[in-house]
Amino acid sequence: MSDAATDDLMLGIDVGTTAVKVVAFTVGGRPVAAHTTPYPIDRRRPGWAEQDPLDWWNGCTAGMRAVLSTVPARSMRAIGLTSQVNTHVFTDDSLRPLAPAIVWQDQRCAEIAGELDARFTDEDKIRIWGSPVTLDASFVGARAAWFARTHPSLWARTRWVLGPKDFVAAKLTGRVATDLLAAVRVAGPNGYLPEAVALVDGLADRLPEILEPETLLGRVDGTEVAVGTMDAYSAVFGTRTTEPGRGMICCGTSLVVAGAAESAHPAGGIVSFPPRRGLHVHAGPTQAGGDAVRWWSQVSGLSLAEVFESAAEGSPGVVFTPYLSGERAPLWDADVRASFLGLSSATSTADLSLAVLRGVAMSGRHVLEAVETACGYPLPRMTFSGGGARSPLWAQIHADILERPVERLRVHDSAALGAALLGAVGAGIYPDIESAAAATVEVEQTHLPAPDADRLRPLYEIYRSAYSALHDLHTSLAAWRRSAEPR
């Protein structure tokens, strides 16, 4: 469908980790207006990460007002939502938050998650979830168990346990719902998994109904609003990873690597989503993608732009492991921490900037190896989107580290585009999400790996070896940190 064929627009709302992005697109996928509202993460205690859920709501309404003020209101046909996932807010029956939301980076529930995870053998996990997943500190069951133990009176008042997009959608439309894909590790192809939700007494009654992500929840000023889905899977739609053999890297606050295949093969360390129409999507989120650059910017005193300028002048030889708040896929280790390896008196700020960008790309290669195991074959090329795709340098670094072509897409905000496409499907603009993605996703530039990119393999092997070599030291240091925390 060409833009010239209609003046219809679609709106994508992405409730991210650091900001709400509201983007209006033509039905051909071209951005025409956008607004971003940033908000903070409260890290008042070591390992904690919290947000005020009303920041999501206020950012959403402010963004919608700003974007809709620049386009004809009658042209807006559909709204879709997406958000950070494994961030949870506990609300009463009037959708009033009872406590700050616990962000996906938060590690306070690691010990409880370990207790829950230990109840299942790998065979149990394959039977229930389809692969030997890890129930980590971001698992909703661990969050609910912690909240019930530490705030029993608030848990008794809790009516809903919601993700950001579902909280916002409920306030927009009055209907409380989620989708299978956003219900990570508690839902399967046929709905909630009884053995997962039964881990915490009362959790099942506090979870929203499950609908297809294209389902329309209601209207806002006459515009249809769809359920939407989690940011990683919304990016799957917004990058056209809707066909077997396609792969994506979405570099936002975290890094998400995903691949699509006709089948699923057990692979540790990643998530295999419930299949949609015979398509299996396998993905793994890291703990720090763009967040590693944010951290290095603060520590080095460089602006974000200066970090990338500096990296362009850096020399190889330093290896960075970006485990600033532990690591998710494929390690699922809350205790591990980041490190620079190979420092010398000759190491420069530029060398460290380059190491940070390469370290994130190496974490992507580590996840990709598990994703390809789950797919059953290698992925020949990867799309590259998210805020990190605004840097041609970082795209080239990924191509060199992954040793395959990396395609920067026309729309960097692929999660917002995917959300808008879900709304467009729900409103009947497209017959299905596959057609919508095929009609709207375009490659802006392809980055081929450098002819001598294989020279970086030894550095990647050092990166991989660093985790096992330092594991016991990280565990001991984590134990010391816990003993030193104020009681």
Side-chain angles (χ1 to χ4, degrees):
M1 184 180 298
S2 69
D3 290 353
T6 178
D7 293 327
D8 289 342
L9 300 176
M10 51 189 184
L11 196 71
I13 301 173
D14 181 2
V15 186
T17 305
T18 60
V20 173
K21 296 176 184 176
V22 179
V23 188
F25 299 92
T26 66
V27 294
R30 180 172 56 83
V32 295
H35 186 273
T36 298
T37 305
Y39 39 67
I41 298 176
D42 189 335
R43 303 181 189 272
R44 68 185 70 188
R45 293 181 60 177
W48 288 38
E50 297 180 332
Q51 283 180 333
D52 183 348
L54 295 182
D55 284 347
W56 309 333
W57 172 244
N58 293 332
C60 174
T61 55
M64 291 178 67
R65 283 195 301 269
V67 169
L68 294 177
S69 69
T70 66
V71 299
R74 65 181 181 276
S75 65
M76 192 59 62
R77 287 280 308 280
I79 299 171
L81 295 103
T82 186
S83 73
Q84 52 177 307
V85 73
N86 288 335
T87 290
H88 303 102
V89 57
F90 299 82
T91 81
D92 64 14
D93 56 3
S94 297
L95 294 174
R96 287 188 291 262
L98 298 172
I102 305 176
V103 177
W104 55 270
Q105 292 178 324
D106 192 289
Q107 295 294 327
R108 78 184 71 173
C109 301
E111 185 174 347
I112 292 175
E115 295 171 9
L116 300 179
D117 187 72
R119 299 183 189 181
F120 302 97
T121 65
D122 282 350
E123 291 74 18
D124 292 332
K125 292 177 177 180
I126 292 172
R127 172 178 56 81
I128 298 168
W129 289 283
S131 63
V133 301
T134 300
L135 303 182
D136 75 320
S138 70
F139 173 53
V140 66
R143 300 276 174 79
W146 177 86
F147 198 65
R149 292 183 193 181
T150 58
H151 302 287
S153 62
L154 294 180
W155 176 247
R157 293 172 54 197
T158 299
R159 176 61 188 92
W160 300 112
V161 181
L162 300 173
K165 75 170 180 71
D166 302 325
F167 174 77
V168 169
K171 288 180 72 67
L172 281 173
T173 67
R175 186 174 180 184
V176 182
T178 191
D179 67 291
L180 277 178
L181 303 170
V184 179
R185 298 194 181 93
V186 288
N190 301 313
Y192 286 116
L193 298 168
E195 290 169 278
V197 297
L199 287 168
V200 181
D201 289 341
L203 176 59
D205 296 331
R206 291 168 168 84
L207 295 173
E209 69 172 320
I210 291 178
L211 302 172
E212 291 294 324
E214 307 95 325
T215 303
L216 300 178
L217 288 175
R219 291 174 176 265
V220 174
D221 295 332
T223 303
E224 302 280 11
V225 180
V227 174
T229 192
M230 60 179 289
D231 52 2
Y233 216 107
S234 192
V236 165
F237 299 140
T239 59
R240 199 181 170 186
T241 312
T242 50
E243 302 165 12
R246 289 184 65 89
M248 74 155 202
I249 300 171
C250 187
C251 186
T253 303
S254 68
L255 190 79
V256 178
V257 181
E262 305 91 336
S263 59
H265 303 267
I270 60 165
V271 177
S272 291
F273 289 100
R276 278 175 53 92
R277 300 168 189 159
L279 185 77
H280 295 258
V281 172
H282 311 286
T286 69
Q287 194 78 339
D291 203 40
V293 179
R294 175 204 58 80
W295 166 82
W296 177 239
S297 170
Q298 291 181 336
V299 170
S300 65
L302 301 173
S303 68
L304 291 174
E306 288 169 342
V307 168
F308 287 93
E309 293 170 4
S310 172
E313 304 298 323
S315 300
V318 177
V319 173
F320 175 67
T321 60
Y323 312 142
L324 293 161
S325 300
E327 182 57 297
R328 295 192 291 173
L331 301 177
W332 301 103
D333 187 337
D335 290 339
V336 68
R337 288 296 180 268
S339 59
F340 284 106
L341 304 173
L343 300 182
S344 75
S345 58
T347 300
S348 67
T349 300
D351 299 339
L352 297 179
S353 296
L354 177 60
V356 169
L357 298 187
R358 280 186 170 163
V360 172
M362 288 177 183
S363 73
R365 177 165 175 168
H366 196 183
V367 177
L368 179 59
E369 290 171 356
V371 166
E372 290 182 327
T373 296
C375 289
Y377 48 71
L379 301 172
R381 59 185 56 234
M382 305 294 288
T383 63
F384 192 55
S385 63
R390 290 178 170 82
S391 166
L393 172 64
W394 216 358
Q396 186 61 51
I397 285 173
H398 277 82
D400 293 342
I401 294 294
L402 301 180
E403 297 186 63
R404 69 199 71 200
V406 166
E407 300 171 338
R408 291 172 68 224
L409 297 180
R410 174 183 66 172
V411 174
H412 299 147
D413 294 323
S414 54
L417 175 59
L421 294 178
L422 288 171
V425 172
I429 297 173
Y430 289 101
D432 51 58
I433 194 65
E434 293 78 15
S435 301
T440 57
V441 176
E442 293 184 7
V443 175
E444 181 178 70
Q445 183 179 7
T446 298
H447 295 259
L448 300 176
D452 60 345
D454 58 356
R455 78 191 191 286
L456 299 175
R457 286 182 202 165
L459 292 182
Y460 174 67
E461 293 304 320
I462 292 169
Y463 170 91
R464 285 292 308 272
S465 299
Y467 175 71
S468 56
L470 299 176
H471 178 270
D472 291 347
L473 295 177
H474 285 300
T475 301
S476 297
L477 187 56
W480 180 87
R481 285 196 304 268
R482 286 190 286 269
S483 70
E485 288 180 5
R487 297 296 179 181

